[in-house]
Amino acid sequence: MFSVTYDELNIVLKEVLLKSGFSEDDSVLCAKIFSDSTLDGYHSHGVNRFPVFLKTITDGYVRLGAQPERELALGSFERWNGKLGPGPLTANFCMNRAIELAKESGMGCVALQNGSHWMRGGSYGWQAAEADCIALCFTNTMPNMPSWGAMDANTGNNPLIMAVPSKDGHIVLDMSLSQFSYGKMEKFAMDGKELPFDGGFNAEGNPTKDPKAILETKRLFPTGYWKGSGMSILVDLLVTLLSSGKSTAKIGKLEAEYGLSQVFICFDAKQMNSDKRHQELVEEIINFVTKATSEKKGKPIEYPGSQTKKRREVHMKEGIPINKNVWEQILAL
């Protein structure tokens, strides 16, 4: 492993983006999104995915300079066409717009058609929480997971993000609807490690912790088995209907994963409750959760976002560990 500072990572990614044709402003924002994801420990959708992200541009599936265009406005709901612009930039724009609508009327919902892979979905949960908004966002994907009982990939591992702001550290859940995301399995495979739990089936149809075997079969376990399978189907329905965009079935007929459908929902926490009441309710729940007896003595009970905050602090002080081959690949760009 190789270690870099956050500032060094940000500068290098920005320079690569500038040389790839991004504008100054877009380079700054996109570099920050990738750097923040890596800082928080999500290398699978941060620095490890960066070369792949650039390749989607050179391959023509993502269009530099494309600006989202509003196609429908119904009060606090808006539908936008992403025009295949860079996924992180478009998702950041849509979440900002959902935040603006929430500040205006208490809640806002933005549905996006013709989007691109947004990389780490949690980025937009943290973005909303920083703006004092309660948020929910989700996206569909190409068919990359069998529904419960199926042999073939007939649904996506459609990521789901929920966020709640808190002065003691935001609570943010970022999960795919497969037991392990493809990015996470790729990182385990890159590091030569097994998954901590069975994540899917191997070629013989047996449950396995071998990430390489699961990546080959593409037979991932849905999160919660049949429950995650059902959620995946409903996420696809919701984003497709609200955006009037492409479903997982339609995306699966394309030569690559692009033209995704996404939804961003925000509630202005300050209009829902006073700051004091909001924090009281958050602490009531988090304290109840974290005061439970730990099954491992001395190990704290975590909640969504708590470990992210710890990794962020450690990496800012000690540097960010990055796979040496990945770093050399980025420098070569």
Side-chain angles (χ1 to χ4, degrees):
M1 296 295 282
F2 190 79
S3 181
V4 301
T5 66
Y6 174 78
D7 289 341
E8 182 181 6
L9 176 60
N10 217 342
I11 290 170
V12 169
L13 296 186
K14 178 192 170 187
E15 289 301 315
V16 173
L17 291 164
L18 282 170
K19 290 179 181 178
S20 300
F22 283 75
S23 69
E24 176 73 21
D25 288 346
D26 285 352
S27 295
V28 169
L29 177 56
C30 201
K32 182 179 186 304
I33 292 172
F34 274 96
S35 297
D36 286 352
S37 295
T38 311
L39 176 70
D40 288 352
Y42 297 95
H43 296 58
S44 61
H45 289 75
V47 70
N48 291 5
R49 190 67 69 94
F50 188 72
V52 178
F53 168 68
L54 291 181
K55 190 174 186 301
T56 63
I57 297 169
T58 57
D59 286 349
Y61 300 122
V62 173
R63 299 172 183 170
L64 282 185
Q67 298 298 317
E69 183 177 300
R70 186 167 59 189
E71 297 197 333
L72 180 66
L74 297 170
S76 58
F77 171 83
E78 292 183 353
R79 178 183 294 156
W80 289 73
N81 187 332
K83 296 187 173 180
L84 303 182
L89 298 178
T90 305
N92 181 275
F93 170 88
C94 288
M95 183 55 83
N96 270 336
R97 185 58 191 145
I99 291 167
E100 290 172 355
L101 290 169
K103 298 296 182 183
E104 291 171 7
S105 57
M107 70 161 291
C109 178
V110 171
L112 177 75
Q113 60 178 246
N114 291 322
S116 300
H117 195 306
W118 62 12
M119 300 299 129
R120 173 197 174 198
S123 299
Y124 318 109
W126 287 95
Q127 177 185 346
E130 283 293 313
D132 286 320
C133 281
I134 299 164
L136 173 69
C137 56
F138 34 89
T139 179
N140 62 6
T141 68
M142 65 188 297
N144 59 14
M145 181 178 78
S147 63
W148 188 246
M151 293 283 290
D152 306 319
N154 61 350
T155 186
N157 64 342
N158 307 332
L160 170 68
I161 292 85
M162 291 182 276
V164 172
S166 170
K167 66 179 180 63
D168 296 325
H170 306 315
I171 299 95
V172 181
L173 174 70
D174 176 7
M175 59 176 285
S176 67
L177 294 178
S178 57
Q179 187 64 43
F180 296 95
S181 69
Y182 272 88
K184 179 67 73 174
M185 289 191 292
E186 287 165 359
K187 186 176 188 305
F188 270 93
M190 183 184 297
D191 295 341
K193 296 179 180 178
E194 280 196 333
L195 302 172
F197 306 98
D198 289 339
F201 295 103
N202 60 21
E204 289 72 41
N206 299 317
T208 181
K209 296 177 183 176
D210 182 352
K212 291 182 180 179
I214 302 168
L215 289 169
E216 288 175 2
T217 63
K218 295 186 178 180
R219 292 187 62 196
L220 294 69
F221 285 161
T223 302
Y225 302 133
W226 50 87
K227 297 179 182 179
S229 173
M231 287 181 68
S232 173
I233 295 167
L234 263 296
V235 164
D236 188 29
L237 280 164
L238 289 173
V239 295
T240 303
L241 290 167
L242 292 175
S243 71
S244 192
K246 291 182 178 65
S247 66
T248 288
K250 281 287 179 64
I251 296 167
K253 294 180 180 179
L254 304 175
E255 67 278 15
E257 184 183 62
Y258 63 95
L260 308 181
S261 302
Q262 298 165 353
V263 168
F264 306 79
I265 303 170
C266 276
F267 298 87
D268 182 12
K270 291 184 178 298
Q271 294 186 59
M272 301 298 112
N273 293 285
S274 68
D275 288 348
K276 181 181 178 181
R277 179 60 175 161
H278 175 90
Q279 198 60 32
E280 284 176 349
L281 294 172
V282 169
E283 291 176 0
E284 175 184 307
I285 295 167
I286 296 302
N287 288 340
F288 182 70
V289 170
T290 56
K291 287 180 180 178
T293 303
S294 175
E295 64 178 4
K296 293 183 179 179
K297 190 174 182 180
K299 185 175 177 61
I301 304 297
E302 303 286 356
Y303 57 87
S306 61
Q307 294 188 77
T308 298
K309 182 182 175 183
K310 294 174 185 175
R311 286 193 297 267
R312 185 182 299 167
E313 292 172 351
V314 169
H315 291 162
M316 284 299 288
K317 291 178 182 177
E318 302 177 2
I320 307 169
I322 295 176
N323 182 281
K324 188 177 180 180
N325 291 333
V326 171
W327 185 239
E328 289 176 350
Q329 186 180 1
I330 289 174
L331 291 179
L333 293 171

